[in-house]
Amino acid sequence: MEGFRELTIADLRRETDDSVSVSFVIPKGERDAFDFLPGQYLTLRAKINGQDVRRCYSICSGVNDGEIRIAVKRVEGGAFSCFANDDLRPGSTLQVLPPDGRFFVFLDARRAHTYVAFAGGSGITPILAMVKSVLEVEPLSRFTLVYGNRDSVSIMFREALEDLKNRFTNRLSVLHVFSRELQDVELMNGRIDAVKCGVILRSIINSQELDGIFLCGPAGMTAEVRRSLSDHGVADERVHSERFTLSPESPTTGTEAKRVRWASQKERSGNAMGSEVTVILDGTRTTLWLDRYGDSVLDAVNRLRPDVPYACKGGMCCTCRAHVVEGEVEMDINYTLTPAELNQGFVLTCQAHPVTDRVVLDYDAR
């Protein structure tokens, strides 16, 4: 398993009043480890006010940019986002995990594909990496971007998008949708929802000709767009989405876990059975006793092994995944593991609880 590396910040650029992008110096010996697919993310780690804080941020650079750059938008009260926007400087260092994530596009210079992306706010970050990379690596492919923001001032990477439009006039279309700024075309006013998406699919994009659809933004937006795509006969396997934040919707609307437990607090407190849990991390085994209805595997392991990989703890980023070598666990929620990964025995340890008397999990197999 690839562990955290200490990387130096090469450049910090103000993208909007409330967002910055950050590039890193990648030592020569680490360049292979930091190769990335457009759409993947980095997990960053820092001590902030004495606390160990970890967050995932998507890579916004293209594969031919000669750098690896992420973007951080300030979130009200967000420990890491405020720290990044206020305190980071060129020359500062951060702990960084190599690129990860399954929201990406494979590139093939021989193909002529038609892509569309729906992005909202900072959801443009991984989408920008995809747009840049596809246009530069696949000369026969086309890309349409539908990008929602409050207004023109809040557009992240506005200059970069304008530059791409100028360079790839015949292969890139960008539709800006503003919720708080009036535009001449009524379709471009308001929020990106199922109705607006339906009009775009009928009048601007031929949904049956799309080879890849990418969604990244607020959960409500992605759910609306998915509904519209389904109504227009777009197969699920062509739609790929990245989740930034948890939503109040039921976890069952995400990728289903192989086994999901919905135990009430009363049920949990009434059963104190425990399990012997062994984890393999960087070739070292650590064994602990864990209440089956108490902490997650990740929380328990983190107290003994602070180097255990994790970021969101919400079942979204997949940084904490591990392979079940022995025994059985159940997950509370799962937004990211695919059915194939579940069948192979991978679980999200931030959501996992032991079921059998003995469980062995291998982080190195991730």
Side-chain angles (χ1 to χ4, degrees):
M1 188 191 71
E2 303 284 5
F4 280 98
R5 273 70 159 181
E6 185 171 280
L7 298 184
T8 300
I9 293 175
D11 176 65
L12 191 143
R13 181 187 304 155
R14 179 65 56 184
E15 298 294 345
T16 63
D17 289 344
D18 60 355
S19 66
V20 293
S21 66
V22 180
S23 68
F24 296 94
V25 177
I26 308 298
K28 187 175 181 180
E30 300 285 1
R31 288 176 187 171
D32 287 346
F34 281 87
D35 278 345
F36 64 91
L37 292 168
Q40 290 189 306
Y41 62 81
L42 297 179
T43 300
L44 310 185
R45 180 184 186 185
K47 281 284 186 182
I48 303 175
N49 297 324
Q51 300 295 313
D52 181 18
V53 182
R54 309 183 191 195
R55 295 290 186 272
C56 296
Y57 292 104
S58 295
I59 298 166
C60 58
S61 44
V63 294
N64 290 340
D65 283 0
E67 66 174 6
I68 189 164
R69 180 179 292 269
I70 55 97
V72 184
K73 186 171 183 178
R74 183 189 300 273
V75 176
E76 187 72 27
F80 208 109
S81 67
C82 292
F83 167 72
N85 275 267
D86 296 337
D87 299 332
L88 290 182
R89 299 288 186 273
S92 300
T93 60
L94 288 171
Q95 296 290 315
V96 184
L97 281 176
D100 204 345
R102 56 279 321 284
F103 181 68
F104 54 74
V105 58
F106 281 115
L107 302 170
D108 185 343
R110 299 166 297 179
R111 67 188 177 202
H113 276 187
T114 300
Y115 303 93
V116 65
F118 292 84
S122 59
I124 188 61
T125 310
I127 300 298
L128 178 63
M130 293 179 179
V131 173
K132 283 183 178 181
S133 301
V134 164
L135 293 174
E136 291 176 352
V137 176
E138 298 184 1
L140 300 178
S141 293
R142 300 174 56 85
F143 216 119
T144 298
L145 168 63
V146 184
Y147 185 19
N149 282 287
R150 294 188 305 273
D151 48 41
S152 56
V153 177
S154 60
I155 297 174
M156 292 180 68
F157 308 113
R158 183 172 185 172
E159 291 184 6
L161 290 171
E162 290 295 326
D163 176 64
L164 288 169
K165 282 173 60 181
N166 291 334
R167 291 171 54 201
F168 302 100
T169 306
N170 298 322
R171 297 199 292 126
L172 174 64
S173 298
V174 181
L175 307 177
H176 288 288
V177 179
F178 297 148
S179 61
R180 300 183 189 176
E181 181 179 318
L182 194 62
Q183 300 187 81
D184 293 336
V185 179
E186 181 58 31
L187 179 63
M188 299 297 104
N189 295 322
R191 298 182 183 276
I192 299 174
D193 56 19
V195 174
K196 199 179 299 294
C197 180
V199 174
I200 291 171
L201 292 173
R202 289 192 298 271
S203 60
I204 300 175
I205 305 168
N206 185 339
S207 61
Q208 301 310 307
E209 294 181 354
L210 295 175
D211 298 292
I213 302 102
F214 300 93
L215 318 178
C216 191
M221 182 205 82
T222 58
E224 289 273 310
V225 174
R226 274 189 173 274
R227 179 158 64 89
S228 182
L229 289 167
S230 178
D231 290 344
H232 284 77
V234 177
D236 278 350
E237 57 264 26
R238 285 193 285 158
V239 184
H240 313 276
S241 61
E242 179 85 311
R243 183 181 292 268
F244 274 7
T245 57
L246 288 169
S247 70
E249 66 190 24
S250 165
T252 57
T253 61
T255 302
E256 295 284 356
K258 190 175 182 180
R259 296 174 294 273
V260 179
R261 181 184 60 225
W262 297 102
S264 67
Q265 290 302 313
K266 182 178 180 181
E267 290 171 328
R268 290 189 175 195
S269 62
N271 189 336
M273 290 188 301
S275 300
E276 180 188 89
V277 177
T278 297
V279 298
I280 303 168
L281 177 60
D282 293 332
T284 301
R285 288 177 174 253
T286 301
T287 299
L288 61 148
W289 183 260
L290 185 57
D291 183 340
R292 294 184 186 177
Y293 296 94
D295 290 341
S296 69
V297 170
L298 174 64
D299 283 338
V301 172
N302 189 42
R303 288 194 287 269
L304 300 176
R305 298 289 301 271
D307 53 335
V308 66
Y310 72 87
C312 76
K313 287 191 176 183
M316 300 182 295
C317 73
C318 224
T319 306
C320 70
R321 67 188 178 278
H323 185 254
V324 180
V325 177
E326 181 181 336
E328 184 179 340
V329 302
E330 290 179 339
M331 289 188 292
D332 292 321
I333 58 174
N334 167 42
Y335 290 111
T336 53
L337 289 173
T338 65
E341 289 172 312
L342 292 167
N343 288 332
Q344 291 165 10
F346 284 94
V347 296
L348 304 176
T349 56
C350 72
Q351 302 298 318
H353 303 268
V355 172
T356 51
D357 291 340
R358 175 173 163 78
V359 172
V360 179
L361 295 162
D362 186 359
Y363 281 98
D364 295 345
R366 64 197 292 277

